[in-house]
Amino acid sequence: MGLKELKQKKWFKVFTNTYILVLTIFVIWMAFFDTNSLLIHMELRNEIKKLEKQKDFLKDEIAKDKEILEKMSDKNELEKLAREKYYMKKEKEEIFLIEYEDSLKNKQDD
């Protein structure tokens, strides 16, 4: 097959058309090499999805914290938290902590 026969083929004429060549080079450049390439857009889209998930998680955490703050505005709830979590006590009051044998074993394993 010679060069003359190759030039007469329809697909050769289409691919050697100046507009097609320029358009193909432009698409390849925009898809892979440009600063705003498709690859960068996909990475940014994935980053946006990840940040939106984090945003939803943090909104839920804020709602939980607001609920806890509302509870803590009640004096009885605040005292309950202080006694249970931080082992605080009133003056002239004694607190006895009872630890069960199985809970002691778990603490030693950690």
Side-chain angles (χ1 to χ4, degrees):
M1 185 183 274
L3 188 58
K4 282 186 179 181
E5 293 172 358
L6 190 61
K7 286 183 180 180
Q8 291 175 354
K9 299 283 184 181
K10 186 173 182 173
W11 61 268
F12 185 79
K13 288 181 181 180
V14 170
F15 286 120
T16 56
N17 186 335
T18 310
Y19 297 112
I20 299 293
L21 286 173
V22 170
L23 181 64
T24 305
I25 292 170
F26 175 75
V27 168
I28 291 172
W29 180 265
M30 292 304 290
F32 299 106
F33 302 112
D34 193 47
T35 56
N36 299 320
S37 69
L38 292 176
L39 299 174
I40 292 173
H41 279 284
M42 290 190 304
E43 289 175 12
L44 292 175
R45 195 173 310 130
N46 291 337
E47 184 74 21
I48 287 171
K49 288 179 185 177
K50 186 175 87 175
L51 290 172
E52 285 176 349
K53 286 180 185 177
Q54 184 179 7
K55 177 183 169 185
D56 292 338
F57 172 75
L58 292 174
K59 279 186 177 182
D60 292 340
E61 290 295 315
I62 288 171
K64 288 178 188 175
D65 290 343
K66 282 184 180 180
E67 190 176 307
I68 291 171
L69 284 174
E70 287 176 11
K71 277 186 179 178
M72 292 304 116
S73 64
D74 183 21
K75 193 172 185 177
N76 293 331
E77 287 290 327
L78 187 62
E79 183 179 340
K80 180 181 173 185
L81 175 76
R83 287 175 172 272
E84 290 177 359
K85 191 168 183 180
Y86 299 108
Y87 305 114
M88 293 184 170
K89 63 181 181 116
K90 294 181 180 179
E91 283 187 37
K92 298 181 182 176
E93 183 179 59
E94 291 184 28
I95 296 179
F96 297 96
L97 297 177
I98 301 172
E99 293 185 357
Y100 295 101
E101 200 171 302
D102 58 342
S103 66
L104 291 174
K105 289 179 184 175
N106 290 339
K107 287 182 182 177
Q108 291 173 355
D109 292 339
D110 293 337

